Amino acid sequence: MCIRDRSNKKLVLLDAHPKEKSAKSIWHAIDANTTLTELYLKNNKLREDQVVKIIKALQNNASIEKFSIGENYLTAKSMETISEMLKVNTTLKELNLSSGISTWYSTGSRVIKDEGAVFLAESLATNRTLRCLHLKNNDIGAEGIKAICEALRVNCVLVELSLTKNHIGSEGAEFVSELLKTNTALTKLKMGHAALEHEGGVAIAAALKINKTLTDLNISYNGIGCECARAFGEMLKVNNTLKILKMRVNYIKSPGVKAICEALKMNYTLTYLNLENESVMAYMKKHTDDVLRINAALVRVKLNHYYPGRVSDKYAI
């Protein structure tokens, strides 16, 4: 599928699998075009050499601000080239390297893995333009997370980071926790489906007692339970920055829900809380109803699809 808007500012080429001639036209267009601001090339089965040529064309491009190239052949060489591009490009604000492929199965070189994340981290330490980075589903483990977090300790511009569906684990969560204690730029962090478990969740909660910047956190599908929920409850008593907290489909039951809700009786910053879980029964609705009566700032609490809670237009989805 190829879509180009009338203003020639946006080009979308998805699942098109362009042949050699078409691929050449892409990198020549990037090299010469001065009006294109958005380029989406996700899932085109571009070979390593094609990806490299397209990325090299971006080194001197002064117009493209949003670029997506996930689900192509992102080998170590491809990622090294992306890293080199980010060191010199001063226009790109959003980079999407996310994969839609499940990394629990064999994906060859269509995901970046730890090696690619290390190359990417080298450029993040010096880049002063990129604001949003999407790395969903890329088979990145603790080693890659460590490299990214170390780079972001000195990066003061990246505000949104998606690490969903990577193998972060409790070890990787410790690196993220240390980052959150010092980073003053990041406002949105996605870590769903990342196997954080109890230790990782508690580490993140501890960091958010100190962090004064993050406003949106998603740690859904991470196997965390009531103890971790209590840690988040303690965090919410002192954190006055976080506005959106998504913890859906974890092992949080009534005691954990109660701990968070008790904290929200004194927290007037959080506006959206999602604890959606089939094991959260209707009788726990009392905890949230009490909070909603007291806390006018909280516009939505979601326990399960039978009880969506109070809803505002902004968080209707």
Side-chain angles (χ1 to χ4, degrees), residues 51-282:
V51 171
V52 167
K53 288 177 180 177
I54 289 169
I55 300 302
K56 284 185 175 179
L58 277 173
Q59 287 186 352
N60 300 314
N61 181 282
S63 64
I64 293 177
E65 297 179 355
K66 295 183 179 181
F67 180 50
S68 175
I69 197 168
E71 289 187 57
N72 291 289
Y73 285 91
L74 299 178
T75 61
K77 185 176 180 181
S78 301
M79 292 307 302
E80 186 176 12
T81 308
I82 288 174
S83 179
E84 292 304 312
M85 177 272 291
L86 288 173
K87 290 175 183 177
V88 296
N89 181 287
T90 58
T91 310
L92 196 64
K93 295 179 180 178
E94 182 172 340
L95 177 61
N96 192 330
L97 301 174
S98 294
S99 170
I101 304 169
S102 174
T103 58
W104 299 104
Y105 301 95
S106 176
T107 55
S109 53
R110 293 179 69 182
V111 293
I112 71 176
K113 302 186 178 182
D114 281 340
E115 187 177 11
V118 170
F119 278 124
L120 188 62
E122 290 177 8
S123 59
L124 290 177
T126 57
N127 182 281
R128 294 295 178 263
T129 310
L130 196 69
R131 295 180 64 80
C132 302
L133 178 60
H134 306 282
L135 299 174
K136 178 181 176 181
N137 220 351
N138 265 297
D139 201 15
I140 302 171
E143 181 185 349
I145 296 299
K146 180 182 180 182
I148 290 170
C149 288
E150 287 179 349
L152 292 182
R153 285 189 179 189
V154 294
N155 180 301
C156 57
V157 294
L158 194 79
V159 297
E160 181 175 343
L161 177 63
S162 175
L163 297 172
T164 297
K165 290 189 177 180
N166 284 290
H167 304 291
I168 297 174
S170 57
E171 183 182 357
E174 290 289 345
F175 299 129
V176 176
S177 174
E178 290 304 310
L179 168 67
L180 290 174
K181 291 175 183 177
T182 57
N183 182 279
T184 58
L186 207 60
T187 62
K188 187 172 184 178
L189 178 60
K190 296 180 180 180
M191 291 193 296
H193 290 275
L196 301 182
E197 298 183 337
H198 168 71
E199 293 84 357
V202 169
I204 298 299
L208 290 179
K209 286 183 175 181
I210 302 169
N211 181 280
K212 304 297 182 185
T213 312
L214 199 73
T215 60
D216 188 337
L217 175 66
N218 189 336
I219 53 169
S220 300
Y221 295 91
N222 269 298
I224 59 181
C226 288
E227 259 189 87
C228 183
R230 290 189 186 98
F232 269 83
E234 292 302 309
M235 175 274 292
L236 289 169
K237 291 177 182 178
V238 297
N239 180 291
N240 58 8
T241 308
L242 197 66
K243 294 181 178 180
I244 300 171
L245 178 58
K246 298 176 183 178
M247 302 174 73
R248 65 189 298 259
V249 193
N250 282 294
Y251 301 133
I252 302 171
K253 297 187 179 180
S254 183
V257 174
K258 183 178 180 180
I260 289 174
C261 288
E262 287 298 315
L264 290 176
K265 290 179 180 179
M266 60 184 76
N267 177 303
Y268 293 93
T269 306
L270 200 75
T271 59
Y272 175 67
L273 173 65
N274 190 334
L275 295 172
E276 185 180 354
N277 194 325
E278 289 301 324
S279 67
V280 178
M281 307 305 292

